[in-house]
């Protein structure tokens, strides 16, 4: 018997029997969700997927009728207005974010299946950004139907509202590519001509031919200098205007002097032109910059894809009338109705109804918080139990969520900036160089005025800070691309430099060290019913509830065999009760479960510290106690050990209770931990560490971690975490493997080493060549060759990091 | 003599460069650089599998069939 699910690769729990006939053999599945997904893949003739895939997908989920009802909302023209484009009469187009793409076969699966549907005109999935562009004929198929079909394959599709920022980024990238194309074409052609010129300088060349080649090179270099190198001038100029000498000042200077000098030589006559140098230098720099921004963009895109489905519509109640309105149209004081299972659209106060909400978006802890009349709820939390009528107290910029984002911005601006050091050093170096060149020029004017220009040019070219300005970006780009291959995205370049100095790592608990979803870790029975029976009863009672814990119960049993519960009753914040086969059962906390009174939970609570206990009782007896806890990630212990071995301190900051955090800390061997920390407290703890001189790396996932992530010298966000967390961090662990933290730290050390070698080499080269050039011993073509070789060495050294 | 040959070759180069530049600009504009990994992987998927004579009849896939219908 296969032990792993054929579809998702998860281990199959004992006694489960889900099969799908696939390629003439019965395959075992781990749950009904996977079974359903595999069956629809087979039914649609897409079995090729299983042969071609290189990574396992996420476990399948059953498509519930409720979900389908929610999807139907997307057919509403008001909602479609924000993300659907009219591409012609009855012809619509939209961009969807696809959740769950793990390998190229997933892309194929979605494209193939969607294109098979009647009415779908085109479906293209972008493998790197996980976005699908779908166009369809609205007479033949509805958008909700397309979304449903994607769900059947085991993926989740969210409409993506292409924002202005995204559009801007796209045009910027296209412009960058154009600049590189121009620089590349021109540089390659000019270098070819330069071969002729170098050969001519050695073997002799006709004056006519030489002039022809020089003029042609000049014409080819004009677009490079005017168009391709434009970003360097702009950045240098804005730096100069604000009184900073940044790295682009020497770069702009090098390009312009080499070009001007060569133009001068071409027109007035002279020994050497440097058009090839101009082209190659611009091309190298543009390419390293594209790699750098490419890495950053990819992480921003990934972060945006993680945006949880925010409601676009809310039901407004006005004069007794209910109508769906776009959330943007909501005003303070409006009344909205939120049904069970819906996401709350705005910050609000409960005016009618009793329910509980899941505020895990904000707190990182996924548990139900009871809400009564007068309590306030926050936008983005999920209403779990009963309908709530709410009075809107904050929308848009006034929400708690927006406030946290502002806190993040503030923490970020106070971040220590080590990265600028290299910039400043290079800038002073350039300034010194310019002064030196001017001095040398005057000295030669006095000594031998005919050679003055040639020698100043040689000084400028030989000491051109090309190698120096490539030293750091080339190493950063190489290290960044090495990390991306492992699923580690570096959002900000300076993070790599800081990584090598980290001596303290702080972890969040829920969602970072643990998986973030409670699982049933143990069932204690009392001899009246066995475990399977109890699980079945509990699942039956929980099925009615949208409680975050309910899924843990439903996963344990076969959804088809759950008996129907009569007259289920939901007591928000306490539990559920109902009648099954004429017997009355309750499931909930100790106070709620009627017959548990008098039975102490001290022993159990001691045995499972930090766990949530759920009691199942019939009318008179306790049948079972379910122990729910958030399990540790499988690699958490290894990751922490790897850090401790490297001599790095580890501590845990969590918003959870002391018992739960203490238990995790003990399992991992972490001595330093703090519980019940609010976002502000976490930041204070962090600053206390920094005040002791520690260089702190923070690893977190939730919105509540965002300010700390921004405040730490370097921060990691889990790829499965909230988007606010990933945006306020320096590095995103897309694969959510904790071991990657240690990998990133090592790469950071290696990158710093390469940067130091590069800077040292560039400085040594420049300083040795300088006196020879100043004394007139280096002819300009040797200077150009030396400069190119020194730049190449720097780039090659950086490539060792890949 | 050699100069005129050179002028002709350089002119030819110029024409080529213009064509190459136009080609690359068109490729950039039409979004060919937006997904750098997908196409390389996609070519490996055997889309035409059901069309191979050896597989015909065995995998007779209806144009559209789904659980929802």
């Amino acid at each position: 018997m296969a032990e792993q699910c054929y579809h998702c690769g998860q281990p199959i729990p004992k006694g489960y029997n889900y099969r799908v006939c696939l390629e003439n053999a019965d395959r075992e599945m781990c749950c009904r969700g996977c079974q359903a997904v595999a069956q629809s893949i087979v039914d649609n003739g897409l079995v090729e997927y299983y042969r071609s895939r290189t990574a396992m997908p996420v476990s399948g989920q059953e498509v519930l009728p409720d979900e389908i009802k929610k999807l139907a909302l997307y057919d509403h023209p008001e909602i479609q207005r924000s993300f659907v484009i009219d591409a012609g009469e009855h012809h619509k187009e939209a961009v969807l974010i696809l959740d769950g793409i793990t390998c190229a076969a997933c892309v194929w699966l979605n494209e193939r299946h969607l294109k098979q549907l009647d009415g779908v005109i085109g479906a293209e999935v972008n493998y790197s950004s996980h976005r699908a562009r779908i166009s369809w004929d609205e007479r033949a198929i509805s958008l909700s139907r397309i979304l449903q079909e994607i769900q059947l394959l085991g993926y989740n599709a969210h409409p993506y509202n292409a924002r202005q920022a995204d559009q801007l980024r796209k045009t910027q990238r296209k412009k960058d590519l154009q600049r590189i194309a121009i620089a590349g074409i021109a540089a390659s052609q000019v270098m070819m001509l330069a071969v002729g010129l170098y050969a001519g300088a050695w073997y002799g060349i006709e004056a006519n031919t030489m002039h022809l080649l020089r003029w042609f090179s000049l014409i080819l270099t004009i677009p490079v200098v005017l168009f391709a190198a434009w970003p360097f001038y702009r950045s240098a100029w804005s730096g100069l205007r604000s009184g900073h000498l940044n790295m682009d000042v020497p770069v702009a200077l090098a390009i312009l002097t080499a070009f001007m000098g060569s133009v001068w030589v071409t027109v007035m006559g002279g020994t050497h032109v440097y058009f090839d140098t101009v082209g190659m230098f611009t091309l190298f720099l543009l390419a390293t910059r594209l790699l750098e921004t490419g890495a950053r963009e990819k992480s921003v895109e990934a972060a945006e894809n993680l945006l949880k489905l925010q409601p676009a519509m809310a039901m407004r109640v006005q004069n007794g009338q209910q109508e769906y309105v776009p959330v943007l149209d909501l005003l303070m004081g409006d009344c909205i109705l939120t049904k069970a299972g819906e996401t709350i659209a705005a910050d609000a106060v409960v005016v009618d109804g009793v329910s509980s909400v899941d505020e895990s978006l904000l707190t990182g802890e996924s548990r139900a918080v009871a809400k009564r009349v007068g309590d306030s709820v926050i936008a983005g939390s999920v209403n779990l139990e009963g309908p709530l009528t709410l009075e809107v107290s904050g929308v848009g910029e006034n929400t708690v969520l927006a406030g946290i984002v502002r806190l993040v911005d503030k923490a970020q601006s106070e971040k220590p900036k080590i990265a600028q050091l290299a910039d400043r050093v290079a800038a002073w170096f350039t300034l010194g160089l310019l002064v030196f060149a001017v001095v040398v020029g005057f000295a030669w004017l006095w000594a031998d005025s005919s050679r003055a220009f040639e020698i100043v040019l040689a000084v400028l070219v030989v000491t051109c800070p090309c190698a120096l300005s490539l030293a750091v970006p080339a190493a950063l780009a190489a290290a960044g691309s090495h990390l991306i291959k492992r699923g580690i995205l570096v959002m900000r370049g300076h993070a790599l430099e800081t990584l090598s100095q980290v001596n303290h790592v702080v972890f969040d608990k829920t969602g970072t060290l643990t998986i973030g979803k409670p699982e049933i870790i143990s069932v204690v029975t009392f001899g009246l019913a066995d475990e399977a029976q109890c699980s079945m009863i509990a699942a039956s009672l929980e099925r009615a509830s949208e409680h975050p814990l309910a899924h843990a119960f439903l996963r344990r049993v076969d959804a088809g065999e759950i008996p129907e519960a009569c007259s289920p009753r939901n007591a928000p914040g306490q539990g559920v009760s109902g009648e099954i086969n004429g017997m009355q059962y309750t499931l909930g906390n100790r106070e709620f479960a009627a017959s548990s009174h008098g039975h102490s939970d001290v022993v159990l609570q001691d045995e499972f510290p930090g766990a949530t206990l759920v009691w199942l009782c019939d009318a008179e007896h306790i049948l079972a106690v379910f122990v729910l806890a958030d399990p540790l990630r499988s690699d958490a212990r290894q990751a922490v050990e790897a850090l401790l071995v490297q001599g790095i301190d580890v501590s845990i900051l969590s918003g959870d209770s002391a018992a739960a955090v203490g238990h995790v800390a003990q399992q991992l061997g972490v001595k330093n931990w703090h519980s019940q920390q609010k976002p502000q407290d976490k930041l204070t703890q962090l600053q206390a560490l920094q005040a002791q001189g520690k260089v702190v790396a923070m690893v977190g996932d939730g919105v509540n971690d965002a300010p700390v992530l921004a405040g730490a010298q370097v921060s990691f966000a889990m790829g499965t975490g909230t988007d606010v967390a990933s945006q306020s961090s320096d590095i995103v662990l897309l694969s959510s493997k904790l071991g990657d933290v240690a990998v990133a730290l090592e790469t950071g050390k290696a990158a710093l080493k390469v940067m130091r070698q590069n800077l040292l080499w560039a400085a040594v080269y420049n300083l040795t060549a300088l006196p020879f050039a100043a004394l007139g011993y280096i002819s300009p073509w040797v200077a150009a060759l030396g400069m190119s070789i020194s730049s190449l060495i720097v780039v090659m050294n950086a490539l060792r990091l890949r | 003599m050699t100069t005129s040959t050179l002028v002709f070759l350089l002119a030819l180069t110029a024409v080529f460069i213009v064509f190459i530049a136009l080609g690359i600009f068109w490729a950039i504009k039409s979004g060919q650089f937006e997904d750098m990994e997908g196409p390389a992987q996609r070519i490996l998927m055997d889309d035409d599998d059901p069309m191979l004579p050896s597989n015909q009849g065995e995998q007779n896939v209806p144009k559209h069939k789904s659980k929802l219908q």
Side-chain angles (χ1 to χ4, degrees), chain A residues 466-529:
Chain A
C466 300
L468 198 65
S469 48
L470 279 172
V472 174
L476 289 181
S481 77
H482 167 72
L483 288 175
I484 269 189
K485 279 188 215 139
R486 300 202 49 148
I488 306 169
L489 285 177
V490 181
M491 304 267 277
R492 296 183 184 87
H494 81 83
L496 276 169
E497 277 180 84
T498 322
L499 273 178
S500 54
Q501 302 164 16
V502 167
N503 51 19
H504 196 118
V505 178
V506 177
F507 285 99
D508 170 51
K509 186 184 78 78
T510 319
T512 306
L513 287 171
T514 66
I515 287 165
K517 286 192 197 111
E519 296 275 344
I520 296 174
I521 54 166
S522 179
V523 183
V524 182
T525 52
F526 295 87
L528 295 163

Side-chain angles (χ1 to χ4, degrees), chain A residues 105-428:
Chain A
C106 299
V107 171
W108 175 85
L109 188 62
N110 279 294
E111 284 183 355
R112 259 305 274 268
H113 182 53
L114 291 178
K115 281 182 189 157
Q116 279 176 8
L117 300 174
D118 288 324
V120 172
I121 298 162
E124 269 169 50
V125 181
N126 184 326
Y127 178 50
S128 21
S129 68
H130 295 189
R131 284 177 199 168
R133 179 177 293 278
I134 316 261
S135 50
W136 70 96
D137 186 334
E138 62 174 348
R139 285 166 305 178
I141 195 164
S142 64
L143 177 61
S144 62
R145 175 66 199 287
I146 295 173
L147 295 174
Q148 246 167 291
E149 290 291 341
I150 295 173
Q151 278 204 342
L152 276 182
L153 293 179
Y155 304 88
N156 267 319
H158 311 311
Y160 174 68
N161 183 1
R163 282 184 310 191
Q164 240 180 340
D166 186 62
Q167 209 53 46
L168 218 67
R169 219 166 43 221
K170 259 200 186 131
T171 45
Q172 187 60 44
R173 183 179 157 82
K174 281 187 180 168
K175 199 97 200 168
D176 287 348
L177 283 170
Q178 285 175 356
R179 292 188 205 281
I180 287 195
I182 288 290
I185 296 169
S188 62
Q189 292 308 313
V190 172
M191 263 188 252
M192 214 117 78
L193 299 175
V195 171
L197 285 172
Y198 281 117
W202 196 253
Y203 297 111
I205 187 168
E206 263 179 52
N208 272 352
T209 313
M210 188 181 73
H211 282 300
L212 195 61
L213 292 182
R214 282 185 181 178
W215 275 101
F216 198 68
S217 304
L218 190 151
I219 292 167
L220 279 176
T221 313
I222 288 174
V224 176
V225 174
L226 291 188
F227 175 69
W230 189 253
F232 302 122
Y233 311 145
R234 204 177 38 205
S235 154
W237 176 240
S238 68
L240 283 179
R241 231 180 12 188
S242 58
H244 295 294
L245 276 169
N246 61 18
M247 196 62 115
D248 286 326
V249 174
V251 169
L253 213 65
I255 293 173
L256 286 176
T257 40
F259 180 67
M260 298 296 204
S262 308
V263 171
W264 174 272
V265 169
T266 308
V267 179
M268 307 298 288
T271 46
H272 198 80
V273 289
Y274 307 95
F275 294 119
D276 54 328
T277 315
V278 174
M280 191 196 68
F281 180 46
T282 313
L283 180 63
F284 270 171
L285 270 182
L286 283 175
T288 49
R289 275 185 203 198
L290 187 82
L291 280 179
E292 220 184 310
T293 46
R296 199 167 45 232
E297 258 163 36
K298 205 169 164 184
S299 43
V300 172
E301 265 173 7
E304 273 179 1
N305 286 355
L306 292 171
L307 278 171
K308 297 289 171 278
L309 199 53
Q310 292 283 331
M313 303 287 275
M315 189 178 299
R316 182 166 63 186
V317 187
Q318 222 166 20
N319 311 327
Q321 297 242 316
Q322 299 181 347
E323 56 165 349
Y324 271 109
V325 295
V327 169
L328 291 174
D329 292 354
L330 285 180
L331 298 171
M332 302 270 267
D334 277 353
C335 270
I336 53 173
L337 180 71
T338 308
K339 292 181 190 152
E342 284 182 354
T343 306
I344 294 169
D347 282 7
V349 178
V350 180
V351 289
D352 190 27
V354 178
S355 179
S356 63
V357 299
D358 180 356
E359 294 184 339
S360 57
L361 176 78
L362 194 69
T363 59
E365 326 295 332
S366 103
R367 56 179 54 168
V369 183
K371 296 289 178 189
R372 288 184 182 77
V373 175
D375 286 346
S376 52
V377 291
I378 48 171
S381 54
V382 181
N383 181 12
L384 295 173
E385 281 154 307
L388 284 176
T389 309
L390 308 164
E391 191 187 304
V392 175
S393 63
V395 281
E397 280 299 294
N398 296 324
T399 57
V400 175
L401 214 58
I404 291 199
V405 173
R406 276 198 295 277
L407 193 60
V408 169
D409 282 346
K410 197 163 154 273
Q412 209 145 58
S413 61
E414 289 163 2
K415 205 163 193 153
K417 293 197 170 94
I418 305 175
Q420 285 181 356
L421 195 71
D423 256 26
R424 228 171 291 155
V425 171
W428 284 114

Side-chain angles (χ1 to χ4, degrees), chain A residues 46-57:
Chain A
L46 300 167
V47 184
E48 167 67 22
Y49 166 73
Y50 288 108
R51 267 177 264 147
S52 310
R53 65 180 179 180
T54 50
M56 290 293 182

Side-chain angles (χ1 to χ4, degrees), chain A residues 24 36 39-40 43-45 47-49 51-54 68 104-105 107-109 111-113 115-118 124-129 145 148-149 152 170 173-175 177-179 181-182 185 189 193 206 208-209 212-213 216 220 227 298, chain B residues 2-18 20-22 24-42 44-50 55 58-59 61-69:
Chain A
N24 308 323
Q39 191 62 54
S40 60
D43 287 349
N44 288 288
V47 184
E48 167 67 22
Y49 166 73
R51 267 177 264 147
S52 310
R53 65 180 179 180
T54 50
I68 295 177
V107 171
W108 175 85
L109 188 62
E111 284 183 355
R112 259 305 274 268
H113 182 53
K115 281 182 189 157
Q116 279 176 8
L117 300 174
D118 288 324
E124 269 169 50
V125 181
N126 184 326
Y127 178 50
S128 21
S129 68
R145 175 66 199 287
Q148 246 167 291
E149 290 291 341
L152 276 182
K170 259 200 186 131
R173 183 179 157 82
K174 281 187 180 168
K175 199 97 200 168
L177 283 170
Q178 285 175 356
R179 292 188 205 281
I182 288 290
I185 296 169
Q189 292 308 313
L193 299 175
E206 263 179 52
N208 272 352
T209 313
L212 195 61
L213 292 182
F216 198 68
L220 279 176
F227 175 69
K298 205 169 164 184
Chain B
T2 44
T3 313
S4 68
T5 314
L6 204 59
V7 168
F8 171 74
L9 285 174
L10 287 179
L12 202 64
T13 312
V15 172
F16 277 140
I17 289 175
V18 168
I20 293 171
L22 285 178
I24 294 186
F25 272 52
W26 169 79
I28 293 171
K29 208 176 160 200
S30 65
Q32 291 185 31
F33 289 95
E34 265 166 45
D35 187 1
M36 302 293 279
E37 294 143 72
Q41 308 266 358
R42 207 165 299 169
L44 298 174
M45 304 293 301
D46 291 332
D47 248 356
D48 46 3
D49 232 31
N55 289 346
E58 182 192 320
Q59 278 202 332
V61 183
K63 167 95 174 96
H64 176 244
K65 185 182 162 195
S66 155
K67 277 176 89 179
L68 285 171
Q69 280 202 329

